Amino acid sequence: MTHEVVGRVEELGAELAALADENESLGKLSDRTVELVRSAGVIRLLQPKEFGGFGAHPRDFAAAVMAVARHDGAAGWVCGVVGVHPWELAQMDSRLAHEVWDDDPDTWIASPYMPNGIAEPVDGGYVLSGRWPFSSGSDHCRWDFLGALVGNGRGKPAEPITVMHVVLPRSDYEIIDGTWDVIGLAGTGSKDVVVDKAFIPEYRTIRQEAVQEGAAAEAVGLTDTLYKLPFSSMFPLGITAAVIGICEGALAVHLAQQKDRVAVTGVQVRDDPYVLYAAGEAAAEIAASRVQLIDGISRLYDLIEAGQPVTLEDRANVRRNQVRCAGGPSLPWTRSSRGPAATRSAATTRSSGSGGTPTSDSST
């Protein structure tokens, strides 16, 4: 059964698609795009019900991200990244959740998680400094998840290496404009953020290994199956879903573009066997990736629901398949040179929505 949020995204799809070019020109999502995504509830899918979220099954989250990305790749990418953060925040000290969501359950949190900063231990917490690239959607977020290495008191990582995820309010970091000048997905606004000696209370931090293995939920008394899933499967779920959705949109644009074209031979392109082969191969790869992505996270969910352990092998298999799911749908575009030149247009077409107007080249 389709989740209500996915249904809302489809209702808003035409307007999301119409805003795609504006997002690319702005170098970030437009205020209207953010308003539409918020009204659909995509970012609240993995958020605890206690704090205004849906506490939904991760397959519904993946389906919603694909739906947004099919209409606008940049908006879908931001949903895939930002939408996972409520899931992790739920596994931290509840004081932080109250700070973030009590006044507004639609508050967004950015990232990145790469440990580009040093967090020096001090009384009551840490002092953090560093610079992080690729903070997708940061212009519309009031908080940021950042990766950090615990320091040794002298500005260097302590041994053994300990990686933390820390959460900062917007007042404690600077977004650097002009650091996201790209050809494709410019609308994600994945800019650099800089932190200079910001104090982070202990309760706004979490050890990466705790969320990596799905153990953090138990430490704070969470019993929901959703929050026991491993980070290594949940975070890639969002961005892989975005890639699949982008490919679905690209295929729709390609087919719409070819539908009424006539080759120099006088044959309608839609009847050309090479074109049909390339389109069929692309459609099959995309469909297979969609099924495999959702199946993987559902299998882990079912294991946890049944009280069975999630092994390293289970996590590795799901992660392997997520990588395939991200690469598989794009392969037909790169191999399309085997057919007529017309089939190659999809590789340089950015989706502005199903049946929309092809625009400039965009990579994922």
Side-chain angles (χ1 to χ4, degrees):
M1 183 177 179
T2 302
H3 194 280
E4 61 183 281
V5 170
V6 179
R8 289 179 199 156
V9 170
E10 295 300 351
E11 292 172 1
L12 299 170
E15 187 172 1
L16 284 169
L19 292 164
D21 286 340
E22 180 183 0
N23 296 334
E24 294 297 294
S25 298
L26 290 172
K28 63 180 181 180
L29 297 184
S30 67
D31 290 342
R32 178 56 180 164
T33 297
V34 172
E35 182 182 347
L36 292 175
V37 171
R38 281 202 169 105
S39 69
V42 179
I43 306 301
R44 288 187 289 111
L45 274 167
L46 301 181
Q47 194 164 311
K49 294 179 181 179
E50 176 187 357
F51 292 100
F54 293 93
H57 195 292
R59 65 170 174 251
D60 295 320
F61 170 66
V65 171
M66 291 181 209
V68 175
R70 186 164 60 250
H71 298 294
D72 175 19
W77 183 270
V78 170
C79 287
V81 174
V82 175
V84 174
H85 300 150
W87 169 84
E88 182 175 358
L89 191 69
Q91 301 170 57
M92 299 176 68
D93 191 302
S94 62
R95 285 177 289 178
L96 178 57
H98 283 289
E99 286 179 335
V100 173
W101 290 317
D102 272 359
D103 290 337
D104 183 5
D106 273 315
T107 298
W108 288 9
I109 311 157
S111 57
Y113 289 105
M114 64 185 73
N116 272 24
I118 301 294
E120 296 287 6
V122 295
D123 288 342
Y126 301 86
V127 172
L128 178 70
S129 295
R131 181 171 182 143
W132 293 258
F134 313 131
S135 187
S136 298
S138 54
D139 287 292
H140 299 285
C141 296
R142 298 182 197 168
W143 296 75
D144 215 322
F145 257 115
L146 298 174
L149 299 175
V150 175
N152 63 1
R154 299 183 299 277
K156 300 292 183 182
E159 296 288 348
I161 296 295
T162 301
V163 181
M164 296 193 305
H165 297 169
V166 303
V167 184
L168 287 77
R170 180 66 185 83
S171 58
D172 286 353
Y173 61 90
E174 180 184 2
I175 299 172
I176 309 300
D177 289 325
T179 53
W180 185 243
D181 184 11
V182 293
I183 295 174
L185 295 181
T188 64
S190 303
K191 302 172 183 177
D192 290 12
V193 297
V194 173
V195 177
D196 184 21
K197 299 178 181 177
F199 173 71
I200 305 169
E202 178 75 36
Y203 71 87
R204 291 183 187 166
T205 72
I206 190 169
R207 299 296 170 98
Q208 179 173 283
E209 62 184 22
V211 288
Q212 191 77 10
E213 299 176 0
E218 184 177 353
V220 294
L222 277 177
T223 59
D224 305 59
T225 299
L226 170 64
Y227 303 109
K228 296 179 182 179
L229 287 159
F231 178 86
S232 58
S233 303
M234 284 297 290
F235 185 73
L237 176 70
I239 55 179
T240 307
V243 171
I244 293 172
I246 290 169
C247 289
E248 288 178 333
L251 178 62
V253 170
H254 174 73
L255 295 177
Q257 184 183 25
Q258 303 301 328
K259 182 178 179 181
D260 298 320
R261 291 189 65 225
V262 178
V264 292
T265 59
V267 177
Q268 285 194 309
V269 170
R270 68 186 181 206
D271 296 325
D272 188 307
Y274 293 102
V275 173
L276 294 175
Y277 172 83
E281 184 183 31
E285 286 281 5
I286 293 168
S289 294
R290 184 185 186 98
V291 170
Q292 189 174 40
L293 181 69
I294 291 177
D295 177 73
I297 201 66
S298 296
R299 283 175 180 270
L300 294 186
Y301 189 98
D302 291 345
L303 281 174
I304 296 170
E305 184 80 358
Q308 299 180 29
V310 174
T311 66
L312 176 60
E313 182 179 4
D314 292 327
R315 287 188 281 136
N317 286 341
V318 168
R319 187 69 194 102
R320 175 200 65 197
N321 292 343
Q322 288 174 332
V323 173
R324 195 221 70 84
C325 290
S330 65
L331 290 178
W333 306 135
T334 62
R335 294 198 297 258
S336 63
S337 58
R338 292 180 298 180
T343 66
R344 294 195 292 270
S345 62
T348 54
T349 299
R350 178 176 56 77
S351 172
S352 292
S354 288
T357 303
T359 56
S360 59
D361 177 64
S362 178
S363 62
T364 59

